[in-house]
Amino acid sequence: MLYDTIGRKESEWAGMTAGQIRNVGEQPGSVLVIPVGSVEQHGNHLPVVTDTLLVEAMVDTAIERLDGVPVVVTPPVWSGFSPHHLSFGGTLSLEFAHLRATLEDIAHAGIQNGFDAVLFVNGHGGNSSLIDAVVSTVGVDTHAEVLGTTYFHLASDRIEELRTTETGGMAHGGEFETSLMLALRPDLVGDPAVRDGEPMDEHYGWGGQDLLDGGNVSVYRSFDEYSSSGAIGTPKQASAETGERIRSVIGDELAALMVAIHENNA
């Protein structure tokens, strides 16, 4: 619960005083990090908070690797743009325009504390185009440098080397996310008997096939057209060991990005 966890990390916006936040923001090359997740169905074996939990964990892993970088992390934006998951229930989705406005407001308010750069770190595929848009809408109206990334697109070549499944096995609720959850919160992962996932079957070969293969053509489909369980991929092949390796790779890459942002704006 928030009351029991806030303030355990030095970089947490929510656990700092206003003066402490401004002191960090006014340092040369300061970076404001805004994690963006979702609350949506992840099949029968993962909790609906998976995307928010994982993006926060990846940011935290990166922060642990930093030394001397002035950075503050906002509380995660826990609701994403997930209309394609609504048919399964359990999903809390914002309208595209509402989420865009929310992210813009958070960024602009944060920048007022003196930050030189803002980094949106996204953890839900359905938010990707929205994050790209917000980078431009915020960037055009502020002095700060504005960037955005989806964490599972970072270091995808290195992650490909870690997978035990073929392309399609690391889709929604598949080997990738289930492995990370087994590494981070195994108590929230259903036992193997309920880890049901189906192969990604997108009609257009140019479309997305996997979290690591987003494709070159966008197409809207409700998730019940892809899967009867809500999960796509091969969660039965997930392991905590794979999850720890993925976490380390992404943590390294995200930390390197934050260092580069700091150095470019110092």
Side-chain angles (χ1 to χ4, degrees):
M1 303 298 288
L2 287 177
Y3 71 83
D4 192 40
T5 58
I6 289 295
R8 293 186 175 178
K9 302 288 185 179
E10 293 183 358
S11 59
E12 291 178 23
W13 178 292
M16 302 169 71
T17 67
Q20 290 171 330
I21 292 168
R22 290 192 65 85
N23 286 340
V24 176
E26 291 168 358
Q27 294 180 42
S30 59
V31 183
L32 176 66
V33 179
I34 304 174
V36 187
S38 69
V39 169
E40 65 185 40
Q41 69 82 26
H42 273 76
N44 298 319
H45 65 289
L46 293 179
V48 295
V49 77
T50 291
D51 287 348
T52 301
L53 187 156
L54 292 183
V55 71
E56 188 175 35
M58 296 306 102
V59 168
D60 189 47
T61 301
I63 297 294
E64 291 173 351
R65 287 158 163 72
L66 301 181
D67 183 18
V69 176
V71 58
V72 175
V73 182
T74 71
V77 179
W78 56 262
S79 185
F81 181 62
S82 308
H84 45 304
H85 291 283
L86 288 170
S87 61
F88 284 99
T91 297
L92 301 175
S93 180
L94 290 177
E95 293 291 336
F96 189 97
H98 295 166
L99 181 56
R100 189 189 73 187
T102 297
L103 296 179
E104 291 169 346
D105 287 348
I106 292 171
H108 283 301
I111 290 167
Q112 290 181 22
N113 291 270
F115 288 92
D116 294 318
V118 176
L119 173 63
F120 291 96
V121 181
N122 175 42
H124 165 50
N127 293 341
S128 295
S129 59
L130 189 148
I131 294 294
D132 290 342
V134 170
V135 167
S136 295
T137 59
V138 174
V140 75
D141 288 330
T142 179
H143 68 278
E145 185 171 73
V146 184
L147 306 95
T149 187
T150 297
Y151 81 82
F152 46 80
H153 292 162
L154 292 172
S156 57
D157 290 345
R158 293 174 62 191
I159 297 171
E160 281 282 1
E161 298 173 359
L162 302 177
R163 70 188 304 161
T164 65
T165 58
E166 300 298 324
T167 298
M170 281 189 165
H172 183 74
E175 182 191 14
F176 182 97
E177 290 181 310
T178 306
S179 292
L180 281 174
M181 288 295 292
L182 285 170
L184 292 161
R185 288 296 304 272
D187 56 308
L188 296 180
V189 181
D191 64 43
V194 297
R195 294 179 199 170
D196 299 321
E198 299 174 27
M200 185 72 175
D201 184 19
E202 171 51 53
H203 173 74
Y204 299 105
W206 300 273
Q209 305 296 323
D210 199 277
L211 287 180
L212 304 184
D213 180 13
N216 299 311
V217 172
S218 298
V219 56
Y220 178 82
R221 299 195 194 284
S222 175
F223 250 57
D224 55 13
E225 296 183 54
Y226 287 128
S227 170
S228 59
S229 70
I232 305 173
T234 317
K236 280 185 168 65
Q237 286 186 228
S239 70
E241 292 76 15
T242 298
E244 285 292 354
R245 294 187 182 103
I246 292 173
R247 180 186 185 189
S248 180
V249 166
I250 292 174
D252 289 346
E253 198 73 12
L254 192 52
L257 173 59
M258 293 179 188
V259 170
I261 295 169
H262 164 62
E263 292 177 346
N264 191 56
N265 289 277

